[in-house]
Amino acid sequence: MQRALICRGALLVQQVTLKSSLTTQISSVLVPRSYRAMSSLTVPAPASLLLPLKVPYRLMLGPGPSNVPPRILSAGGRPIIGHMHKEMFEIMDDIKKGIQYAFQTKNELTMAISGSGHAAMEAALYNAVERGETVLIGVNGIWGERAADISERMGADAKRLVKLPGECFTLQEIEQALSKHKPVLFFITHGESSTGIAHPLDGLGALCHKYNCLLLVDSVASLGGAPIYMDKQEIDILYSGSQKVLNAPPGTAPISFSERAKQKIFSRKTKPVSFYLDMGWLANYWGCDGKPRVYHHTGPVSGFFALRESLAILAEQGLENNWKHHQEMALYLHQGLEKLGLKLFVKDKNLRLPTVTTIAVPEGYDWRDITAYIMKNYSMEITGGLGPSVGMVLRVGLMGYNCTKANADLVLQALGDALQHCHKSKV
């Protein structure tokens, strides 16, 4: 019996060896000699891509993106389905309802742009403004600068209303500019993350409409963390991003248009400069025009899964509860910063953005030394300024999943440690 098994095993080995040999011979016959001698490729496979992906863990307590909670990561990892499947449309419908809740609007033309907050900014301007028209841009940080740049690139006449970083515009100043320039649209940033300002919005919509002007508001850094009421405040176009308080990965951007904005968009004399961001096509893709949906582009399916889950969490927690929680955590952080002897960049407490706190760079320190020390020793991101606030501020973000007392305490510990160990100039 044992001999039979051994013989049978030997025979099997011989068969496998023969099969392998035949395969090699056949392959040699089928592959041309030129390919066997040398590859036709001039660019080899990158050595780095033959190694496993490595991503360090970082506590993201800067102005964004924020850490993505496990529930949203899990949602984004669900199996891919087709972007035109009925189940995908149902998910997109859920997203639309979630955005309407977050924005506090009943606008039918509500959706998520397939792109970051910059894509939503461009979608708003490209659709609502035509070449040669005048727009008024409130510039008190980097996002006003970007909006003016985009407007000029598309051929609009951008008039800038400028304030120093950390300052806001009064209704009187805005009305004077509206009366003088007669723009078709006024842009303002609600949560100016480069300076830490939460700009007041009450009265702005009515003021703009008095001058037959649309109100466009950027809420990328504020949505979900600071009160905003699109319909009550008569905001015509409102957009945000997925990666801040919503804690979804970057790449999807909520946006909504009022009836007044829709009339302006759909009575254009010329097509929008971007096909990808054309609201005529996107309104159909998102089921906002009452017509059967047709293909426009392949949306970020996994990104939509994650955004849908983040909006579900916001709905479960409650919008007002979220606003209150962010305000309380911001106040706790501010008190701790003052105990460390640090000064808040925005002097008026009522104008401080709850989601992103700006700290005046302490005298004698290089902000880069502080942020580098904290990254090295705490694996924590806090950042310096951006645009006009570079060199002026340190920025700390407590947003959504990251907005906890434990994280605030860790920031205070890290900053206190950095101030002790970083070189202080005697100049």
Side-chain angles (χ1 to χ4, degrees), residues 157-209:
D157 181 13
K159 305 296 184 182
R160 292 166 172 80
L161 186 61
V162 181
K163 283 278 190 178
L164 292 173
E167 296 183 0
C168 282
F169 305 98
T170 65
L171 289 174
Q172 291 76 16
E173 290 169 336
I174 295 170
E175 181 163 20
Q176 287 175 3
L178 290 171
S179 177
K180 177 181 178 182
H181 299 298
K182 297 178 174 54
V184 299
L185 178 144
F186 173 56
F187 170 92
I188 193 72
T189 307
H190 180 227
E192 179 47 83
S193 59
S194 68
T195 62
I197 282 281
H199 201 289
L201 297 176
D202 289 343
L204 267 183
L207 182 60
C208 286
H209 300 155

Side-chain angles (χ1 to χ4, degrees), residues 235-312:
I235 299 168
D236 293 299
I237 310 173
L238 179 65
Y239 68 85
S240 190
S242 58
Q243 75 276 18
K244 308 279 187 172
V245 175
L246 293 180
N247 298 134
T252 56
I255 192 168
S256 183
F257 299 83
S258 70
E259 286 299 316
R260 185 180 280 102
K262 280 176 63 177
Q263 291 174 13
K264 174 78 168 66
I265 290 168
F266 295 122
S267 62
R268 296 175 60 98
K269 298 175 183 177
T270 59
K271 292 181 179 181
V273 296
S274 170
F275 175 83
Y276 185 67
L277 299 174
D278 187 328
M279 206 47 58
W281 282 90
L282 292 177
N284 175 266
Y285 180 49
W286 279 88
C288 301
D289 63 357
K291 300 176 183 178
R293 303 191 205 201
V294 298
Y295 172 73
H296 172 250
H297 74 284
T298 303
V301 173
S302 297
F304 286 159
F305 292 168
L307 179 60
R308 191 265 182 204
E309 200 68 12
S310 70
L311 290 166

Side-chain angles (χ1 to χ4, degrees), residues 371-385:
T371 58
Y373 180 88
I374 291 174
M375 177 63 77
K376 179 181 179 181
N377 292 279
Y378 290 85
S379 293
M380 178 197 302
E381 180 189 65
I382 68 170
T383 69

Side-chain angles (χ1 to χ4, degrees), residues 126-176:
Y126 287 171
N127 284 277
V129 181
E130 295 193 66
R131 178 177 292 274
E133 290 184 327
T134 299
V135 294
L136 178 63
I137 309 293
V139 181
N140 62 340
I142 192 171
W143 306 119
E145 292 180 353
R146 292 284 170 90
D149 187 352
I150 291 168
S151 298
E152 289 172 339
R153 286 169 183 258
M154 59 171 283
D157 181 13
K159 305 296 184 182
R160 292 166 172 80
L161 186 61
V162 181
K163 283 278 190 178
L164 292 173
E167 296 183 0
C168 282
F169 305 98
T170 65
L171 289 174
Q172 291 76 16
E173 290 169 336
I174 295 170
E175 181 163 20
Q176 287 175 3

Side-chain angles (χ1 to χ4, degrees), residues 223-235:
L223 182 69
I228 191 164
Y229 306 89
M230 186 172 188
D231 289 353
K232 283 184 184 178
Q233 292 172 322
E234 299 184 52
I235 299 168

